[in-house]
Amino acid sequence: MAAAKFERRDGRWGRIRGNWATLLLPINDDDSIDLARLADEIDHLIAAGVDGIYSNGTAGEFHNQTEEEFDAIQQLLADRCKPAEMPFIIGACQPDPRISLERVRRAATLKPEAIQVILPDWWPVTTAEATDFLGMAAEAAGSVPLVLYHPPHAKRVFAPDELAAILTPVPEVVGVKLADGDLSWYEHARHHLGAWGIYVPGHHLATGVERDVAVGAFSNVACLSPSGAQQWTASMASDIERALEVEARLRTFLEVHITPLAKVHGYSNAALDKLLAAIGGWTDIGTRLRRPYRWLDPQIVSGLREKAKAALPEIMP
């Protein structure tokens, strides 16, 4: 059986568990956001039965939007999810704390399951400054809980014990999305972060569940296939060893075919996530990013799709 922390429960992180799929922005040739294709994407995610949908993570290109575009994306997400009773989280992420807090205030009016924020990122914050900012965000969010997105490329990456010290004074923060680590990291996370929902990278979720730390993922695997990622996530509650075996093949596929595009050729994580969605072929997003960021040539998709189907029949549609 899977670890106890992964089980669905009431509590501080409530329904924020399992396989959360990200919105990826369909970008037109003139660099505008195609809201019609975005609406269709949301409908596909709802039909796939994912545990939840979240907006404006890295793959949602939150760093490259106007405030008017931000509002339009969040309104569309809320309008699609609420009638379907699909849980959704709004990412109010922004490196500028003032812009972020205004996004939090506006997001709260849409009553999402939670609001995701990052720490101010022009100058690295101290632990005291991190706590102060999260307190400001909690005040702006009102009754809506917060999830901290703490990526490995943040200017300062806090260890589990540091995160616990930052988060404890701000009970409105119910979870943390972060990169995991080795066995020692998991031991420290289990010891210090047990009170929070912990969301590890999607392709590490079975490991995070098996080690009784992760409650879910804001998942790159759902970029590849929302329904396949959902089925894989569900299997962790009944056959964790099988889920770990699938994870091993998933990691190998990504390490061989996807990760070198970032490490060797310099493509961003958003570019990789859009490539995964194109490989999965479950909706019409395209690989294009907003300039100045580069995107992958769609010509490589068909070959990678065949490799993914051969390596990951449990996940690929």
Side-chain angles (χ1 to χ4, degrees):
M1 293 296 291
K5 190 172 181 181
F6 179 65
E7 295 173 358
R8 188 176 296 277
R9 66 182 72 184
D10 295 327
R12 296 179 66 224
W13 29 270
R15 294 195 297 172
I16 310 171
R17 66 168 300 284
N19 172 48
W20 282 70
T22 184
L23 290 192
L24 302 109
L25 296 188
I27 302 298
N28 294 317
D29 289 347
D30 64 359
D31 245 14
S32 63
I33 299 169
D34 191 328
L35 293 177
R37 280 195 288 157
L38 184 62
D40 186 63
E41 176 191 344
I42 295 169
D43 291 345
H44 276 84
L45 293 174
I46 292 170
V50 295
D51 287 313
I53 303 171
Y54 73 102
S55 67
N56 280 48
T58 297
E61 298 176 77
F62 71 81
H63 49 281
N64 204 5
Q65 294 171 18
T66 68
E67 295 311 288
E68 292 79 9
E69 289 168 335
F70 171 86
D71 290 342
I73 292 165
Q74 313 327 314
Q75 189 67 59
L76 180 61
L77 177 63
D79 289 346
R80 280 304 212 262
C81 286
K82 285 181 178 179
E85 298 184 345
M86 170 60 67
F88 66 98
I89 288 175
I90 291 175
C93 304
Q94 232 288 340
D96 182 318
R98 296 296 153 186
I99 297 175
S100 179
L101 292 173
E102 288 303 318
R103 287 187 173 188
V104 170
R105 290 187 184 95
R106 300 200 306 276
T109 66
L110 298 174
K111 303 299 181 185
E113 202 74 32
I115 296 171
Q116 185 172 268
V117 296
I118 60 171
L119 296 174
D121 203 43
W122 171 246
W123 190 263
V125 292
T126 65
T127 54
E129 289 166 343
T131 296
D132 191 26
F133 171 75
L134 291 173
M136 295 164 70
E139 183 178 358
S143 62
V144 181
L146 300 175
V147 172
L148 173 63
Y149 178 20
H150 192 52
H153 58 267
K155 284 196 170 67
R156 180 175 177 186
V157 177
F158 294 103
D161 59 330
E162 295 173 312
L163 279 173
I166 289 166
L167 299 178
T168 296
V170 192
E172 295 87 352
V173 180
V174 299
V176 187
K177 174 188 175 184
L178 75 181
D180 57 352
D182 58 14
L183 183 59
S184 174
W185 182 92
Y186 270 102
E187 290 173 352
H188 283 91
R190 199 161 43 243
H191 179 70
H192 293 287
L193 297 176
W196 291 274
I198 301 300
Y199 308 95
V200 298
H203 59 297
H204 292 188
L205 181 55
T207 293
V209 169
E210 190 271 335
R211 294 180 179 171
D212 203 21
V213 168
V215 302
F218 295 87
S219 180
N220 58 342
V221 186
C223 294
L224 184 62
S225 172
S227 58
Q230 188 65 33
Q231 293 168 14
W232 177 54
T233 303
S235 75
M236 296 172 198
S238 57
D239 192 350
I240 190 63
E241 294 303 322
R242 175 63 174 164
L244 286 166
E245 192 274 326
V246 173
E247 181 185 294
R249 284 187 277 115
L250 176 61
R251 289 198 193 199
T252 297
F253 171 77
L254 294 174
E255 288 167 5
V256 172
H257 299 293
I258 306 299
T259 302
L261 297 170
K263 289 186 174 179
V264 178
H265 301 288
Y267 287 97
S268 67
N269 285 348
L272 302 188
D273 284 344
K274 283 191 175 179
L275 175 63
L276 289 176
I279 292 168
W282 53 273
T283 192
D284 178 21
I285 296 168
T287 62
R288 186 183 180 100
L289 270 66
R290 278 195 139 171
R291 296 173 61 197
Y293 298 99
R294 297 184 304 143
W295 58 92
L296 277 305
D297 187 337
Q299 295 297 320
I300 71 173
V301 167
S302 60
L304 289 171
R305 181 176 295 153
E306 294 308 310
K307 291 180 172 63
K309 285 182 176 180
L312 302 164
E314 300 89 346
I315 291 176
M316 283 294 291

